[in-house]
Amino acid sequence: YDTWSAPACDVLLVIKERPPAPFLEAARGRGSKIVYCPIDMHQDCASLDADAAVLCACDLVLVHAERLLPLVQRHCANAHFVEHHVRFATADLAAFKAAGYVLWVGGCQYVPYLLRWLDRHPLQGELRILTDIDNYRARHAARVLAATIGVKLVLPRHGTHISGHPVFRWSERRQAEMMRACKASMDVKATDHFNQMHKPPTKAQQMIASGVPFAVNPESYSAAYFRQRAFPVASPAEPDRWFSREYWEATRRRAEILRAELSLEAVGARYRSLIDTL
């Protein structure tokens, strides 16, 4: 991405970063087919429509949320849904725990959405936050978002809590450790915001594929994704179901399916089959 020079290739796959027009023109001039995967790029419909020329110039567009497909297909008819693979799923399925903490994992910039939900729906028991607490840009974005949505946010420079909740610095190893140790996990999507409304169900997939009882607000895309696949995810507002052995058992059964369907090999095969059509 430093130079955006177009290499000579049959198919050029661009992930997330918006390719500039000269780059697209150069690639097409070399005879390359262009595949674009705009992960988490658009904050509203207007920003997506502003990319119409980029999307139209692509031979194939891949998105990680089915809700985005109709919006993208207005500009590129050859757009398709692809899954994330369960990269952060734990090696073994989680054991049932009658007691313990609830885990939230996510970028620091999204913490205000979590705090707003908790203000309205107090959680039973302890919640631990795993995030990139040292990321300056994410911290700044969190403060801006908190002010925008009217949430009180305290981000201590060297502290161990965010608004009273224990916070831990994210690393892949620590996430695996906390996923194995937690009683359950949760997420909240602010569906009054376009970007949140179209967030892929990645976090839900990682947790459920690990056998961790997971809850998310019912109007989120994560909840809709699993409802469409005959697995109604618990809501954080229904702890009796969320923390029950029955839900943990159902989660373990679904985990076996997810680990096969969303393996790197299975998702890779989907990418290859779509690219092969070009």
Side-chain angles (χ1 to χ4, degrees):
Y1 294 135
D2 290 338
T3 62
W4 281 106
S5 58
C9 56
D10 297 314
V11 178
L12 182 62
L13 173 60
V14 181
I15 300 176
K16 188 161 185 170
E17 295 294 330
R18 182 185 297 102
F23 175 81
L24 293 174
E25 292 171 7
R28 296 183 73 87
R30 289 175 179 266
S32 299
K33 299 290 187 180
I34 301 167
V35 183
Y36 181 33
C37 191
I39 301 172
D40 203 21
M41 281 295 294
H42 301 104
Q43 300 302 314
D44 49 41
C45 274
S47 67
L48 190 151
D49 290 340
D51 282 345
V54 172
L55 298 171
C56 286
C58 296
D59 298 284
L60 172 64
V61 176
L62 305 176
V63 298
H64 285 99
E66 291 152 312
R67 282 181 176 177
L68 273 178
L69 265 183
L71 303 178
V72 173
Q73 286 172 336
R74 294 184 306 191
H75 308 300
C76 178
N78 195 25
H80 298 270
F81 169 67
V82 290
E83 297 276 17
H84 278 279
H85 79 282
V86 283
R87 172 184 173 187
F88 293 117
T90 54
D92 301 313
L93 297 183
F96 176 73
K97 301 175 186 69
Y101 63 87
V102 172
L103 175 64
W104 181 89
V105 182
C108 190
Q109 67 269 33
Y110 301 120
V111 167
Y113 289 134
L114 171 68
L115 298 180
R116 182 176 67 172
W117 195 92
L118 292 173
D119 285 343
R120 300 171 181 175
H121 310 84
L123 190 65
Q124 295 181 9
E126 180 186 14
L127 173 74
R128 296 186 183 181
I129 296 173
L130 180 62
T131 188
D132 54 342
I133 189 63
D134 293 333
N135 184 326
Y136 171 79
R137 290 186 179 181
R139 289 169 64 95
H140 176 71
R143 292 190 181 98
V144 172
L145 177 59
T148 301
I149 66 176
V151 169
K152 182 179 179 180
L153 176 65
V154 179
L155 285 176
R157 185 175 297 276
H158 302 294
T160 58
H161 290 72
I162 294 179
S163 299
H165 303 286
V167 61
F168 298 82
R169 185 179 297 106
W170 186 89
S171 71
E172 187 170 343
R173 179 177 179 178
R174 181 166 287 161
Q175 175 169 319
E177 292 171 349
M178 295 186 75
M179 286 172 65
R180 287 192 293 267
C182 69
K183 173 176 70 172
S185 66
M186 68 171 290
D187 195 19
V188 176
K189 299 301 184 190
T191 51
D192 53 338
H193 290 72
F194 178 92
N195 180 265
Q196 288 273 297
M197 187 67 172
H198 296 84
K199 278 276 188 185
T202 315
K203 197 181 306 183
Q205 293 168 329
Q206 308 286 341
M207 292 296 179
I208 293 171
S210 300
V212 178
F214 178 80
V216 68
N217 47 320
E219 65 275 14
S220 67
Y221 172 57
S222 295
Y225 171 92
F226 277 100
R227 277 197 303 270
Q228 292 167 3
R229 290 157 176 81
F231 183 73
V233 175
S235 165
E238 49 179 10
D240 289 345
R241 175 172 177 245
W242 180 19
F243 301 145
S244 69
R245 178 175 285 273
E246 290 75 18
Y247 185 62
W248 168 76
E249 291 173 348
T251 298
R252 286 179 66 93
R253 291 192 294 271
R254 178 58 54 166
E256 299 290 357
I257 297 173
L258 282 182
R259 290 164 89 92
E261 291 181 345
L262 305 184
S263 68
L264 185 60
E265 293 76 15
V267 173
R270 168 69 170 163
Y271 272 83
R272 176 154 189 166
S273 67
L274 288 169
I275 291 172
D276 279 346
T277 65
L278 301 177

